Amino acid sequence: MKGQLEQLKKEFVELVDKVASREALEELKTQFLGRKGKLSGLMKEMASLADGERKLVGAVANEVKEAIEAAFGEAEQKVSKASWSATAAKEWIDVTEPTFHARPHGTLHPVTQVQQELEELFTSMGFMVLDGPELESDYYNFTALNIPPSHPARDMQDTFYIEGKTGAAGKAGSEETGWVMRTHTSSFQVRAMREHGVPLRAIVPGRCFRNEATDARHEHTFHQLEGVVVGEGISFAHMKGVFQAVADHLYGKGTKIRLSPKFYPFVEPGVRGELECFLCKGKGCRVCKQSGWLEAMPGGMIHPNVLRQAGIDPEKYSGFAFGFGLTRLVMLKYGIDDIRHLESGDLRFLNQF
Ligand code: DAH
């Protein structure tokens, strides 16, 4: 009897080792441990044994049962691991694979598009692209640019003065002044010259703010693109060359430009830079208000006082600056007739670009 039990254990261990599927394992379990299985068959026979022997054989039977159960448990784990890795080998996902669901794509804001186009042009001509603060000191926005305290641009109606930091606008020449939201990107001219020295070739695109009563042509927030070039022997002709390159780039090669005198405190001489109207080619139309020209490129030779504020010797160096109305260029390019669309965040407007 004892021998039969040992034999049963051996048989089970050998068989269970070869089992590869969960189903086969279950079957084996029924065969050996089930109510009508081999082990219970032997147990039944035990009833006919003498008392002393039954005790001994009973102990062996229990040992065999435990051993079979343990072997079964191990086999069960092995089979379930194998079935997982078989599934994993068949089914897999590539987390880097792009999906083909049609997701709505955003587009770049039209101002960003034109800005990037100009940044590309200017960097190709060796300009740096700089970024300046929108909250600016009264000094850099006005004083350093030769804009005297009495200048109308400082008027409370035009400039957003920052509460608590206001005042001292009148302390001409002093750098300890109040704070404003920059009214133009020209505010970065002296900062750029101080930070980078001479020679300098830089553009500064960015947002500007004015305390305007808004309408189709006036907005409190708009974009400009400033340019500063300083070096030895920089002349008016260099500025004209740059303006021509911009005109060619924006509206096609050979687009005419026209420079006429205009006053800005920080340049001397200052110019009203105009581009031939891209729509009517100078004949006169709705876009250029029948003049044939579009005023979009103000600039001039940097005033000696401004160079001095930056610590640059005007006897030795000269330079030019310009401040394109980026918002205006965008409106002209796309025929946008209301400036307020640009800052509206209205998707019906933005989705067109
Ligand atoms: N800052 C001027 C404005 O906002 C534009 C301008 C004019 C900038 C002449 C310049 C310049 O750099 O030379 O109206």
Side-chain angles (χ1 to χ4, degrees), residues 21 30 36 45 51 76 78 130 167 173 189 191 199 214 257 295 320:
S21 77
T30 325
K36 290 179 184 163
E45 286 174 33
D51 272 1
E76 201 176 28
K78 215 171 76 186
L130 301 177
Q189 282 189 18
R191 282 183 181 276
T214 56
I257 60 166
E295 187 175 342
F320 64 88

Side-chain angles (χ1 to χ4, degrees), residues 183-186 189 210 224 226-227 264 266-267 298-300 321-323:
T183 58
H184 51 184
T185 43
S186 306
Q189 282 189 18
R210 283 188 203 172
Q224 291 189 340
E226 195 78 11
Y264 294 99
F266 34 94
V267 280
F322 51 86

Side-chain angles (χ1 to χ4, degrees), residues 107-110 113 330 334 336 342 349-353:
T107 53
L108 291 176
H109 193 281
Q113 290 185 29
V330 172
Y334 296 109
I336 299 165
L342 291 164
F349 169 75
L350 293 171
N351 280 336
Q352 298 174 61
F353 299 94

Side-chain angles (χ1 to χ4, degrees), residues 49 150-151 226:
L49 294 174
S150 57
H151 196 280
E226 195 78 11

Side-chain angles (χ1 to χ4, degrees), residues 249-260:
H249 187 76
L250 284 178
Y251 300 130
K253 223 170 166 44
T255 299
K256 287 198 194 106
I257 60 166
R258 182 168 82 169
L259 306 180
S260 50

Side-chain angles (χ1 to χ4, degrees), residues 326-346:
L326 198 54
T327 297
R328 183 164 159 71
L329 288 174
V330 172
M331 291 176 72
L332 289 170
K333 175 166 179 176
Y334 296 109
I336 299 165
D337 55 9
D338 191 328
I339 191 173
R340 290 169 296 188
H341 287 313
L342 291 164
E343 297 289 321
S344 69
D346 189 336

